[in-house]
């Protein structure tokens, strides 16, 4: 009886010594299985994603986005495209209005009419201020509501991307719709994008959505070039008193918290609004103004950052 108890004691002792080893083995085995599963899931996900295919003739694509509407995204996209075109190192620039439900590029670029079709059965962009432009606004009446479901919108985006004869472009600026939905994902996953510019006002409610927009581009591996802080300050035309109507430096603080930079600040100025409504963007109609110089500075910074990534 004593011998049996002795054997049991020795067995338990040996088992106790081996338990840490077994636990370590089980732990490493579990970690290995989890890593194997993660790799397998990534492989399966990559199969379901469309292959990125460049737009023929287009060297660089820059998307201008915002998490919400009403922050001056389209105005920024137009003046950014014109600012890029003003650079001596750039020969040709295009502007694509991807906001199917609310196209505003036709009015801002003072363009009307339907695009002609080339011998290759591709739409020929309309041209003004040295910029080749394409928008859903050229294909429908200006006041006609576009009441489409998601599949029709995605089909329209595919046509705007693939069935336009852009020719040789150094840069194609895409004015994205507000939000982080199907259109943004489709464009990000279908074509290679050199960088995204996030537009936001300093207002807290706008910053929440701007953060979502920046994080979305990070998830789909689109480099974020930086933030544009729009409507940053208002200067009274009578007394020159400066007021931060939408808050002070909110977009700058958000950009820093996410590890990004501010590409520039755009003031809240009546000249920007009036020239946009008249189809005479401030960069071409008043290039020596402080407002135009703010956009030109942002365009220069975008070019510098993209050229830096090429090295």
């Amino acid at each position: 009886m004593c011998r049996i108890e002795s054997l049991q004691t020795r067995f338990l002792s040996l088992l106790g010594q081996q338990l840490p080893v077994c636990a370590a083995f089980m732990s490493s085995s579990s970690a290995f299985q989890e890593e194997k599963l993660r790799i397998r899931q990534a492989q399966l996900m990559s199969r379901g994603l469309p292959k990125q295919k460049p737009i023929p003739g287009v060297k660089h694509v820059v998307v201008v986005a915002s998490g919400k509407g009403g922050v001056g995204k389209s105005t920024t996209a137009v003046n950014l495209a014109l600012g890029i075109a003003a650079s001596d190192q750039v020969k040709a620039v295009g502007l694509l209005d991807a906001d199917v439900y609310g196209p505003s590029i036709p009015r801002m670029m003072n363009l009307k009419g339907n695009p002609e079709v080339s011998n290759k059965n591709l739409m020929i962009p309309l041209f003004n201020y040295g910029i080749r432009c394409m928008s859903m606004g050229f294909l429908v009446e200006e006041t006609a509501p576009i009441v489409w479901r998601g599949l029709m919108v995605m089909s329209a985006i595919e046509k705007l991307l693939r069935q336009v004869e852009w020719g040789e472009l150094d840069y194609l600026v895409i004015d994205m719709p507000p939000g982080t939905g199907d259109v943004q994902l489709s464009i990000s996953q279908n074509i290679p994008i050199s960088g995204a510019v996030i537009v936001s006002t300093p207002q807290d409610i706008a910053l929440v959505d701007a953060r979502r927009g920046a994080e979305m581009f990070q998830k789909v591996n689109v480099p974020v070039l930086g933030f544009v802080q729009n409507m940053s300050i208002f200067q009274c035309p009578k007394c020159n008193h400066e007021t931060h109507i939408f808050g002070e430096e909110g977009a700058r603080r958000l950009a820093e918290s996410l590890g990004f930079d501010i590409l520039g600040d755009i003031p809240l100025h009546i000249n920007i609004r009036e020239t946009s409504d008249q189809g005479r963007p401030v960069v071409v109609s008043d290039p020596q103004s402080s407002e135009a110089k703010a956009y030109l500075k942002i365009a220069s910074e975008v070019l510098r950052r993209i050229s830096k990534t090429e090295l």
Side-chain angles (χ1 to χ4, degrees):
M1 190 70 175
C2 294
R3 188 177 179 181
I4 293 175
E5 291 177 354
S6 176
L7 289 172
Q8 288 176 337
T9 302
R10 288 180 61 189
F11 174 76
L12 292 174
S13 176
L14 289 171
L15 182 61
Q17 295 174 11
Q18 294 299 319
L19 280 176
V21 178
C22 293
F25 173 77
M26 291 296 292
S27 176
S28 63
S29 177
S30 176
F32 173 76
Q33 292 297 329
E34 289 180 2
E35 179 64 16
K36 187 177 179 180
L37 178 61
R38 187 190 67 78
I39 294 173
R40 178 61 176 163
Q41 288 174 336
Q43 291 174 341
L44 291 173
M45 285 292 291
S46 64
R47 292 180 185 176
L49 294 176
K51 299 295 183 182
Q52 286 189 334
K53 183 181 178 182
I55 300 174
V58 178
K59 293 181 181 177
H60 295 289
V61 175
V62 177
V63 297
V64 180
S66 66
K68 67 186 284 89
V71 297
K73 170 184 56 59
S74 295
T75 303
T76 301
V78 167
N79 284 287
L80 174 63
L82 291 166
I84 292 175
S87 173
D88 293 334
Q89 57 184 301
V90 177
K91 295 180 180 179
V93 177
L95 178 60
L96 172 60
D97 187 354
D99 193 349
V100 173
Y101 290 116
S104 52
I105 297 304
R107 177 182 287 265
M108 289 186 180
M109 290 296 290
N110 195 27
L111 288 168
K112 290 183 180 179
N114 301 121
E116 296 181 0
V117 179
S118 70
N119 295 332
K120 299 177 183 178
N121 202 30
L122 299 175
M123 293 183 289
I124 300 175
L126 275 65
F127 188 83
N128 197 14
Y129 304 126
I131 306 290
R132 302 170 196 174
C133 302
M134 181 53 61
S135 170
M136 182 56 62
F138 300 146
L139 306 174
V140 298
E141 293 293 331
E142 183 178 16
T143 58
I146 300 177
V147 188
W148 290 352
R149 294 189 181 275
L151 289 176
M152 294 181 67
V153 173
M154 299 311 297
S155 176
I157 291 295
E158 180 66 19
K159 287 180 172 59
L160 291 174
L161 287 175
R162 302 294 181 190
Q163 297 185 18
V164 176
E165 193 169 278
W166 290 107
E168 297 295 322
L169 292 181
D170 294 314
Y171 287 87
L172 175 63
V173 177
I174 301 182
D175 178 24
M176 302 280 266
T180 55
D182 290 342
V183 173
Q184 291 84 348
L185 286 174
S186 178
I187 292 176
S188 300
Q189 293 172 349
N190 275 281
I191 60 174
I193 297 174
S194 298
V197 174
I198 309 297
V199 181
S200 179
T201 64
Q203 187 180 6
D204 288 347
I205 195 65
L207 295 173
V208 172
D209 293 319
R211 174 187 289 273
R212 294 192 183 104
E215 291 179 346
M216 182 208 73
F217 284 117
Q218 285 183 300
K219 287 183 178 180
V220 293
N221 298 316
V222 171
V224 176
L225 300 175
F227 280 63
V228 170
Q229 185 165 241
N230 199 25
M231 309 180 198
S232 59
I233 195 169
F234 172 75
Q235 185 179 65
C236 177
K238 293 185 178 180
C239 66
N240 293 327
H241 175 71
E242 294 184 343
T243 305
H244 295 90
I245 294 178
F246 294 104
E248 186 174 0
E249 302 294 357
R252 188 177 302 275
R253 289 193 298 271
L254 173 61
E256 290 175 354
S257 70
L258 295 173
F260 302 124
D261 297 324
I262 287 288
L263 299 172
D265 293 77
I266 305 298
L268 179 62
H269 200 285
I270 191 172
N271 194 28
I272 297 175
R273 194 271 301 168
E274 286 181 342
T275 55
S276 296
D277 287 349
Q278 294 166 4
R280 300 169 52 250
V282 69
V283 167
V284 291
S285 63
D286 195 3
Q288 298 304 316
S289 65
S290 59
E291 305 85 61
K293 289 178 179 178
Y295 285 116
L296 290 168
K297 178 185 175 184
I298 292 171
S300 177
E301 189 64 23
V302 167
L303 292 175
R304 185 186 71 81
R305 289 171 184 256
I306 291 177
S307 63
K308 188 177 178 181
T309 61
E310 293 181 311
L311 299 177

